[in-house]
Amino acid sequence: MIGIFGFIPKKKMRLSDSEVLCGRFLKSFPEGQYVTQHYTSEFGSLGLCGHANDSFHSFFVDAKNGIIASFVGEIFNLKKLTLEVGLKPLENAAELIAQLYLKSSLLRLSEANGLFCAGVLDTRRQAQILITDRYASFQVHFYEGVNRTTFSTSI
């Protein structure tokens, strides 16, 4: 699997239960891949998995605002888009996603040229948002269970 993964519980869950569930995700990854980072809360989990030699993924945590962003893929006009929305130049696409979310400007991603998938976990609003490029190059798959919705870019 290369991509993002996580779950969204139907109701707030204990942090320890959330960490156990995320641990099951981590154990399911095949050899040769690794999780660059993951974040778990009572309101859900968001993680990122990629090859060790792949640089097309990023993870960003804004603890002050309670925002976690995960990104896989590539935005070819990242620098241009960053400047157009009034942000300082960024190399990290996950940080751009987080900043656009905070500015209520995620629709600007329709101007992004590239192949990508991203997720935002907002721990203050208890919300998750999943994003893909305009052609859904990285499809996001969902499984609706009794207690939670599980998502991943790979099955």
Side-chain angles (χ1 to χ4, degrees):
M1 175 191 150
I2 300 172
I4 64 172
F5 66 91
F7 64 88
I8 306 164
K10 302 280 187 196
K11 59 182 182 179
K12 184 177 173 181
M13 62 190 307
R14 292 187 319 217
L15 184 57
S16 59
D17 292 341
S18 183
E19 288 170 346
V20 166
L21 189 59
C22 193
R24 290 182 191 154
F25 279 127
L26 301 179
K27 288 180 184 175
S28 71
F29 296 135
E31 245 181 86
Q33 296 180 353
Y34 73 105
V35 174
T36 57
Q37 216 162 24
H38 71 281
Y39 182 88
T40 305
S41 77
E42 305 89 8
F43 310 110
S45 174
L46 182 61
L48 179 68
C49 180
H51 289 293
N53 59 355
D54 183 3
S55 62
F56 300 112
H57 46 69
S58 55
F59 200 83
F60 179 76
V61 177
D62 180 348
K64 177 183 162 196
N65 292 304
I67 304 295
I68 296 87
S70 179
F71 178 89
V72 171
E74 189 171 11
I75 297 176
F76 305 119
N77 60 335
L78 176 67
K79 290 181 181 178
K80 180 182 178 208
L81 184 60
T82 301
L83 294 172
E84 285 177 1
V85 296
L87 298 172
K88 63 179 169 84
L90 306 169
E91 293 295 324
N92 183 332
E95 185 176 359
L96 172 64
I97 302 292
Q99 295 300 324
L100 288 174
Y101 175 79
L102 287 170
K103 291 178 128 195
S104 299
S105 299
L106 281 176
L107 287 177
R108 293 296 303 258
L109 287 173
S110 65
E111 301 166 29
N113 294 323
L115 311 169
F116 61 90
C117 178
V120 177
L121 173 61
D122 185 338
T123 59
R124 292 192 179 163
R125 291 185 185 164
Q126 303 172 18
Q128 280 203 19
I129 296 173
L130 301 172
I131 305 157
T132 188
D133 63 75
R134 68 184 106 180
Y135 300 112
S137 303
F138 285 86
Q139 297 176 359
V140 181
H141 306 278
F142 296 88
Y143 170 74
E144 185 79 26
V146 175
N147 296 320
R148 69 189 154 272
T149 300
T150 305
F151 62 89
S152 175
T153 50
S154 298
I155 298 180

